[in-house]
Amino acid sequence: MIKKEVLRVAARFFEKMLNADRSDHMGHTVTCIFCGQEARYVSRNLKTFTTVLGNITIGRAYYYCPSCACGFCPKDYTLGFDDLSLSPGVTRMVSLVASAGSFWEGSKLLSALAAVIISEKSVERTAKKIGEAIASDEVVYVKEKQSPRDTMYAGVDGTGIPMRKDELTGRAGKQPNGAAKTREVKQCVVWTADSRDAKGHPVRDQGSVSYSAGIESSAWSNSYREEDTPAFARRVARELTRTGFFQAKRQVFLGDGALWIWNLVAMVAPQAIEIVDLYHAKEHLSKLGNDIFGPGTDLAK
Ligand SMILES: [Zn+2]
């Protein structure tokens, strides 16, 4: 109760401070942030934002640009308030809870832990927006890590994830009626394993593991030209570059033995040492034994 009251007082103080600052009115005309033409001052508009302190209502100078028919409030950009009416602090909180569970759980967590009231739908919209921004940043910013390691490991795999019906219309699947219930998400993992356990066996170094995943194709359909490289192969190449994998003296690729994985490795990292992971290697050997000597026979075992 006391915490809520403290937050309420802080929110009013913050609101008062932001409203006292009218420097966002920069005359009758400003340069349009979208097209660079002249935008005209219209009025002072009120809008309610959700911040970590609670809701606050701020007056902002509103400008309209007739050239591109867009309106904007410079103050929103200065403060980093997004078009979903959330402050940067709340946006960060939403991205954390949304990555940890369902949007409904995220909404409940924010309310219980931070007294920030955001609907399930707003958590969803914010998460989607942040996700899209992260996905496009991931493609654009590929800075190669400059710390060559002796050995680096990478692995790729695919697994079916359940999808909503509208995401699956027209897709063939493994259901008896030929319909799909899942789509395949492919994942690329990169790590180092210089650490040793008590018995001296190599173990993954803590904090070294990086992941990148997407519902993307890995098949070269038309040609092996650069522009025909499938999306997932591009993703793997970016992740290998970003983690410094290509600079390691020994580059190791692990897979479950599926053909598409070795095809991908041959194109993206042909210099890598290919290893079938132990679990799948045993499985393949067992199947081979059963095929040659008969299921369950002593020789097969
Ligand atoms: Zn404009």
Side-chain angles (χ1 to χ4, degrees):
M1 222 45 216
I2 293 173
K3 187 193 165 200
K4 268 193 179 163
E5 191 53 27
V6 170
L7 282 174
R8 202 188 62 79
V9 172
R12 291 294 78 81
F13 176 76
F14 188 41
E15 187 179 68
K16 216 173 163 185
M17 199 180 81
L18 289 176
N19 279 316
D21 176 13
R22 292 184 163 233
S23 60
D24 59 323
H25 181 258
M26 297 169 285
H28 278 299
T29 59
V30 294
T31 305
C32 172
I33 58 167
F34 302 111
C35 74
Q37 295 298 306
E38 197 179 78
R40 291 176 204 144
Y41 176 73
V42 181
S43 58
R44 205 151 186 89
N45 285 9
L46 289 176
K47 188 171 176 180
T48 301
F49 293 94
T50 303
T51 74
V52 290
L53 303 172
N55 285 355
I56 58 168
T57 302
I58 313 171
R60 307 107 70 238
Y62 174 73
Y63 287 85
Y64 181 78
C65 166
S67 302
C68 67
C70 286
F72 60 94
C73 296
K75 196 176 225 171
D76 294 357
Y77 292 91
T78 314
L79 296 174
F81 285 168
D82 71 359
D83 47 8
L84 298 173
S85 310
L86 304 180
S87 73
V90 170
T91 305
R92 275 195 293 276
M93 282 181 171
V94 172
S95 58
L96 267 179
V97 294
S99 65
S102 72
F103 302 133
W104 179 83
E105 287 166 328
S107 168
K108 294 287 166 214
L109 275 174
L110 286 173
S111 160
L113 300 177
V116 169
I117 309 300
I118 296 180
S119 71
E120 180 186 350
K121 196 74 204 164
S122 281
V123 172
E124 180 182 349
R125 275 199 295 260
T126 307
K128 210 173 160 200
K129 204 177 141 188
I130 296 168
E132 282 163 2
I134 292 172
S136 67
D137 275 6
E138 189 274 316
V139 176
V140 176
Y141 303 107
V142 188
K143 197 177 171 217
E144 184 157 29
K145 194 173 176 183
Q146 299 295 332
S147 58
R149 305 286 298 244
D150 281 339
T151 309
M152 283 193 83
Y153 300 89
V156 295
D157 204 355
T159 188
I161 51 164
M163 303 287 286
R164 288 205 308 239
K165 264 192 187 144
D166 54 328
E167 305 275 358
L168 293 164
T169 37
R171 288 185 179 275
K174 293 173 185 164
Q175 296 305 302
N177 64 354
K181 267 194 155 174
T182 59
R183 285 188 67 183
E184 190 184 49
V185 60
K186 294 188 185 71
Q187 195 180 50
C188 170
V189 191
V190 186
W191 72 97
T192 58
D194 295 336
S195 310
R196 296 288 180 269
D197 66 9
K199 287 180 180 167
H201 297 138
V203 286
R204 285 187 183 192
D205 298 325
Q206 220 179 7
S208 78
V209 189
S210 85
Y211 297 95
S212 185
I215 299 178
E216 293 165 338
S217 165
S218 63
W220 273 263
S221 48
N222 300 320
S223 76
Y224 289 101
R225 284 178 312 187
E226 169 80 29
E227 58 267 37
D228 292 325
T229 306
F232 185 68
R234 289 174 192 267
R235 176 181 296 279
V236 172
R238 289 195 300 274
E239 196 59 18
L240 296 180
T241 306
R242 202 174 282 125
T243 52
F245 179 88
F246 291 123
Q247 294 187 22
K249 284 183 201 140
R250 203 158 52 149
Q251 301 163 23
V252 183
F253 231 105
L254 279 103
D256 62 9
L259 188 61
W260 73 267
I261 294 177
W262 299 139
N263 283 342
L264 184 137
V265 177
M267 292 303 290
V268 176
Q271 69 288 353
I273 302 163
E274 297 173 356
I275 299 177
V276 177
D277 65 73
L278 197 58
Y279 174 84
H280 284 100
K282 280 181 181 166
E283 192 181 85
H284 291 310
L285 271 180
S286 153
K287 188 178 178 300
L288 186 68
N290 283 327
D291 286 350
I292 296 175
F293 301 112
T297 58
D298 282 348
L299 274 170
K301 282 178 191 164

